[in-house]
Amino acid sequence: MRGMSRRALFAGTAVGATAALLPAPPAAARAAVCGRYRAAYHFTVPDQWKNDPQRPVWIDGEYHYYYLYNPDYFTGGTTAGTAWRLATSTDLVRFRDRGIAVPKDTTPNSDVWSGCAVVDTDGTAGFGRGAVVVLATMEPVEGANTQAQYLYYSTDGGRTFTHHGTDPVLPNPGVRDFRDPKVIRDDERGRWVMALAENNKVGFYHSADLKSWTYAGGFVKDGIGVLECPDLFRITAGDGTVKWVLGVSANGKGSGLPNTYAYWTGAFDGTTFTPDAAEPQWLDHGWDWYGAVTFEKRDRSGRLDEKTRYAIGWLNNWDYPNTTPTIDSDGFNGTDSIVREVTLKRATSGTYYLASRPVTALDSYVSRTVKLGDLEVDGTRVLDYQGLSYEVSCEITWEALTGAGLQLRRSPDGVRHIDAGVYGDYAFLNRRTTVNPDASGRWQESKSPYDPSARRVRLRILVDRTSVEMFVDDGRYVHSSEVFPYLIDDRIALFTIGGRAVFRNTVIREFAL
């Protein structure tokens, strides 16, 4: 964003540079320039800029959520560099800002990029038992193959960090992409394991003390762009099967695939990951769920749930990172997805996959429930409801039908809306007829597989001021995308194509944090 004013991005209205894709807004929408676009129940940065989430860690009865934060965004743009900012939460819905934890530009190595934090329970790194250690990428000289891994440590419970010298603990071997370390504890072998993004490869490294690392091998995947923000964890399915999961943030657009979080189930022996299949599955099929991380689920006593992981992603995309109405309306750029609970399930084909659902604690923040029951639809049916931020759920059933779904954030005249549902053999989320960040017009409808012979589909959709997240059939597939509807666009309609359907147990819930 260097060289461009904030207002230039959103000249004329509060809906952004992509407003040119739609007819000029009505007077009421132009007046909405003074309205607020900050999400009602999603995590947002207090000010300036955020991007990649860093894996939250459980410390002293609460989750410590670190994320990349640029306090100089409005003056220097995204190139001004990031620090790690901290927010804490006991339920992963309501967060408390704790300020910058890992500062930027305090060493000659420049700003601090993605990595991970771990609790060094046994004090293996020499900073004391329970010290919190951060491994993060820094690049002293941009574009000169200097990306390397550096160490910071905390002895105050992860609130503030000190750098461990200015030399990397894992130097660059002379490659361009060498970043985003993700570290786990291998208790079986008494060592630490790091997964590192290395262009088309995830490299694996071992260490006894978090400060000296040895290369052990790697996992290579071509065809989905540069692999970033790797993830490695073990999870137990409902049937008792234990799988390892290797995940990466990747851009599969060139191959007609998502650009979100790709993952493989398989086996890991501490050194080598062996996938169950060559091609990845995707934890999200929308356009805007990037830099995602999964992390341990623990109860209030700290006990680990081996059957469930949490996950959170950045609701943005590097194709259009600076396009959002929140810059002018609320003075920030950075929103996250709702935290998800992720479980491992077995499909009828025998394949194991990760299913997602919104974090259960969200139920505690319901402020209003509208129960509409079973609704018959043949064509379009506008509901007697108005709202900007809510959750809507239903099960759609039919005998013969081409497509069905919901028009979300529909304008009073019915021209603008976000469509979500099923059509033929796929589920979809389409933002084409509302304002959204994709000026190219190419990334408007996301799709995921759907079997029309089922003649039913369950939808749970989270709608907020600048986002939609659709969970299909108990989270088998999820679509997350940025959208920027005018603030007067607050209706919902149900629709069918080529037949009649019943929208069963239709419920709308609103939240107050």
Side-chain angles (χ1 to χ4, degrees), residues 375-381 401 494-501 503:
L375 303 173
E376 291 191 9
V377 180
D378 190 352
T380 302
R381 179 170 177 172
L401 196 67
L494 312 179
F495 70 86
T496 63
I497 302 171
R500 184 184 68 87
F503 288 68

Side-chain angles (χ1 to χ4, degrees), residues 50-99:
K50 82 166 295 295
N51 56 302
D52 293 4
Q54 308 303 306
R55 183 183 63 196
V57 289
W58 179 262
I59 303 172
D60 297 332
E62 60 185 358
Y63 282 99
H64 284 52
Y65 170 42
Y66 304 96
Y67 58 90
L68 296 193
Y69 169 71
N70 180 1
D72 306 304
Y73 174 64
F74 287 152
T75 57
T78 57
T79 60
T82 50
W84 279 31
R85 191 159 181 156
L86 169 64
T88 58
S89 177
T90 57
D91 63 9
L92 299 172
V93 177
R94 179 180 289 165
F95 291 84
R96 180 179 179 184
D97 178 52
R98 301 289 190 176

Side-chain angles (χ1 to χ4, degrees), residues 193-307:
V193 175
M194 175 192 294
L196 190 69
E198 303 176 27
N199 195 276
N200 67 337
K201 181 179 76 172
V202 176
F204 299 118
Y205 298 79
H206 296 156
S207 176
D209 59 5
L210 295 168
K211 295 185 290 188
S212 299
W213 293 90
T214 301
Y215 178 72
F219 175 84
V220 175
K221 175 58 182 176
D222 293 308
I224 54 175
V226 175
L227 309 183
E228 298 188 288
C229 303
D231 196 12
L232 180 66
F233 61 89
R234 183 170 57 190
I235 189 169
T236 302
D239 64 6
T241 300
V242 177
K243 291 285 185 181
W244 280 87
V245 176
L246 176 65
V248 293
S249 282
N251 187 344
K253 286 181 179 177
S255 303
L257 298 169
N259 64 323
T260 56
Y261 181 106
Y263 72 91
W264 295 261
T265 61
F268 183 65
D269 63 4
T271 297
T272 302
F273 179 81
T274 304
D276 293 331
E279 296 304 314
Q281 301 183 71
W282 296 82
L283 200 50
D284 198 289
H285 287 255
W287 301 120
D288 304 305
W289 201 69
Y290 203 73
V293 292
T294 71
F295 55 104
E296 295 176 342
K297 179 182 179 181
R298 294 185 179 274
D299 63 18
R300 291 188 177 275
S301 68
R303 185 171 56 237
L304 177 67
D305 183 346
E306 296 182 350
K307 294 184 177 181

